[in-house]
Amino acid sequence: MQQYLLTEDQKGYIQLVKDFFTKEVLPIRAEYDEEEKIPMATIHKALDIGLHILDIPEEYGGAGLDFLTYVMLIEEMCKVDDAFTSIINAGSIACKVVELGGTQEQKEMFYDKVANGAFVGMCITEANAGSDVSAIATTAVRDGEEYVLNGMKLFVSNGSIADYFIVFASTDKRKGSKGISAFIVEGDRPGISRGKREKKLGVHCGDTCVVTFDNVRIPAGNLLGNENEGFKLTMQTLDRGRVKVAAMAIGHAQGALDYAVQYAKERDQFGQPICKFQGIQFMLADMEAAVESARQMVYHAASLIDNQMPCSRAASIAKLVATDNCMKVCTDAVQILGGYGLTREYPVERYFRNAKTYQIVEGTNQIQRMVIGRDLCR
Ligand SMILES: Cc1cc2nc3c(=O)[nH]c(=O)nc-3n(C[C@H](O)[C@H](O)[C@H](O)COP(=O)(O)OP(=O)(O)OC[C@H]3O[C@@H](n4cnc5c(N)ncnc54)[C@H](O)[C@@H]3O)c2cc1C
């Protein structure tokens, strides 16, 4: 990233992230991945230096960074470990929902909790509502001064450790997507149960689980925005979420590429380092081009968001290209390490497994193509 003109502030934050991840995360990343454990003590150290509130407005206790700087930092974190990054930053989009839909009182309460280390889970996906968010079947029925929630949410990131959930539920079945509302739900309310953490291909320490709401009563004041405006709130945060995932993917891909370059310089075959072979150099060149071109798209989309300009197509292009390129770069990193690339002794095996996640989350890449195609044919 050195080739970008960074402000002194940006350089300072990047150094802070680099120092923390090199000192605290790098030495233990293989261990907690293997054990599929959340490295809670290290997560708390990250929270202590505010790595979870970088994009929260200053007035609510955050660092108040612009979105471009924020994604640069996400990228820097993911060079070392995307799974750890996903835990400490899972609340970022939830905060955006509250910022957009919440009352002043809700914002102050929620941000204060997040700034003080509360974990938040976003509850959108259900068994029959994956790519099609409008099919949400969880219900929220008004009963006097309360709502009663019933339903089951899947793949909730930070689900087993969440202190708060942002839950999307139907308040008017007849209206489909126009009948969905968003709620803040405290994690200790009676009727909430959390399933076992999913065992996944990658992002092993990432905490993903089923959360069930069985006659969960919440105050009517926990509604975010107006009734039936929840779908609009998710749509308004989608672009941000997609660009953030794209930034995770370029950081992740850069980490795999850096390792492959270092290995190619050190590994000798036929009496010379394998990086002297044109076949290897061409692979590395293609990997560098894939990461750098995606980076430009991510920074462009982030700048559009900072300038409040329309960016849905740019966000989808950034997400599509960055995550597809990440998968390709991580696959080629394994190839460059040969047989060693397949073993858990070397980090590229983990980079390869984790890379698949980003083609699926925050709208699969088929959905991104749909968004781009529809926009072109509008
Ligand atoms: C690690 C991880 C973390 C997650 N975190 C969260 C979270 O915190 N909160 C949350 O609510 N959800 C979360 N999710 C869920 C995630 O958002 C969904 O998995 C994703 O939206 C896809 O939904 P699905 O898995 O039901 O796939 P489906 O929607 O069933 O899709 C299956 C396949 O069909 C394709 N497809 C679907 N519709 C179309 C179409 N119209 N045209 C072409 N192809 C189509 C898809 O691209 C995919 O290839 C997480 C998932 C994972 C894996």
Side-chain angles (χ1 to χ4, degrees):
M1 202 196 292
Q2 291 80 349
Q3 61 272 47
Y4 293 92
L5 293 172
L6 300 172
T7 63
E8 287 309 309
D9 253 14
Q10 286 171 330
K11 283 184 200 162
Y13 275 111
I14 287 170
Q15 198 56 49
L16 173 83
V17 166
K18 203 177 262 185
D19 288 347
F20 181 84
F21 271 68
T22 308
K23 183 163 164 265
E24 302 287 349
V25 183
L26 184 66
I28 57 167
R29 64 181 182 179
E31 184 186 317
Y32 62 66
D33 180 76
E34 187 65 29
E35 293 174 357
E36 307 209 9
K37 282 201 179 129
I38 305 174
M40 223 18 138
T42 314
I43 295 279
H44 281 298
K45 286 187 191 174
L47 305 189
D48 286 345
I49 59 164
L51 294 187
H52 63 308
I53 48 168
L54 297 167
D55 62 336
I56 288 184
E58 273 177 296
E59 56 182 309
Y60 298 118
L65 298 182
D66 56 275
F67 194 57
L68 176 60
T69 306
Y70 175 66
V71 297
M72 285 177 171
L73 297 176
I74 291 290
E75 183 189 339
E76 200 60 45
M77 294 178 200
C78 289
K79 280 185 197 168
V80 176
D81 193 33
D82 54 319
F84 188 95
T85 307
S86 73
I87 297 176
I88 59 173
N89 279 284
S92 157
I93 299 300
C95 284
K96 199 67 201 169
V97 175
V98 175
E99 188 185 327
L100 289 169
T103 60
Q104 189 61 23
E105 202 185 337
Q106 284 173 325
K107 284 184 217 175
E108 279 168 13
M109 179 285 291
F110 194 73
Y111 283 126
D112 181 59
K113 298 286 181 197
V114 172
N116 283 299
F119 292 102
V120 186
M122 281 280 273
C123 300
I124 302 173
T125 305
E126 298 178 2
N128 293 314
S131 300
D132 181 10
V133 174
S134 68
I136 280 177
T138 294
T139 52
V141 178
R142 182 87 187 229
D143 181 23
E145 285 310 299
E146 292 179 320
Y147 281 95
V148 184
L149 290 178
N150 277 291
M152 182 189 279
K153 296 291 184 178
L154 308 186
F155 291 115
V156 179
S157 294
N158 280 358
S160 69
I161 56 172
D163 302 292
Y164 288 88
F165 295 105
I166 302 293
V167 181
F168 291 82
S170 174
T171 30
D172 190 342
K173 280 261 175 229
R174 293 161 307 167
K175 291 188 178 161
S177 66
K178 294 203 170 94
I180 292 171
S181 304
F183 301 90
I184 299 175
V185 180
E186 297 82 356
D188 56 0
R189 293 226 167 242
I192 296 179
S193 53
R194 307 161 197 237
K196 272 201 311 212
R197 286 174 59 205
E198 302 291 351
K199 287 208 162 246
K200 305 187 295 301
L201 167 74
V203 192
H204 282 170
C205 81
D207 172 35
T208 321
C209 74
V210 172
V211 180
T212 307
F213 299 88
D214 182 12
N215 283 321
V216 176
R217 290 190 164 267
I218 54 168
N222 284 21
L223 173 71
L224 285 165
N226 296 320
E227 222 179 59
N228 302 333
E229 283 185 355
F231 190 73
K232 203 167 90 188
L233 284 177
T234 45
M235 292 300 120
Q236 285 170 336
T237 57
L238 271 185
D239 294 338
R240 247 181 131 81
R242 285 171 180 167
V243 178
K244 184 181 136 186
V245 165
M248 292 182 76
I250 52 173
H252 189 66
Q254 185 71 60
L257 171 58
D258 291 347
Y259 196 86
V261 170
Q262 178 197 323
Y263 184 88
K265 287 180 182 169
E266 289 166 3
R267 171 71 171 166
D268 285 345
Q269 284 295 282
F270 299 98
Q272 57 179 330
I274 60 169
C275 71
K276 298 280 182 201
F277 301 125
Q278 194 182 49
I280 294 288
Q281 280 187 14
F282 277 9
M283 271 175 89
L284 291 172
D286 285 345
M287 290 157 79
E288 166 71 5
V291 176
E292 189 53 42
S293 55
R295 179 176 286 124
Q296 301 296 335
M297 293 175 195
V298 175
Y299 290 3
H300 169 64
S303 302
L304 292 178
I305 288 176
D306 277 331
N307 288 289
Q308 277 121 42
M309 292 168 75
C311 69
S312 292
R313 195 199 299 185
S316 283
I317 292 173
K319 199 274 177 179
L320 172 66
V321 175
T323 60
D324 277 358
N325 286 6
C326 175
M327 191 69 248
K328 173 86 173 74
V329 167
C330 293
T331 306
D332 288 346
V334 171
Q335 192 69 21
I336 285 173
L337 268 76
Y340 302 99
L342 297 172
T343 72
R344 294 203 174 173
E345 293 299 308
Y346 291 86
V348 292
E349 181 264 353
R350 193 183 60 258
Y351 279 96
F352 171 80
R353 281 188 285 108
N354 289 8
K356 190 65 201 161
T357 310
Y358 304 108
Q359 292 178 305
I360 294 172
V361 298
E362 216 62 41
T364 66
N365 283 4
Q366 284 74 28
I367 296 301
Q368 306 308 326
R369 288 181 173 91
M370 212 170 83
V371 171
I372 300 161
R374 277 188 185 161
D375 197 45
L376 285 171
C377 299
R378 197 193 294 256

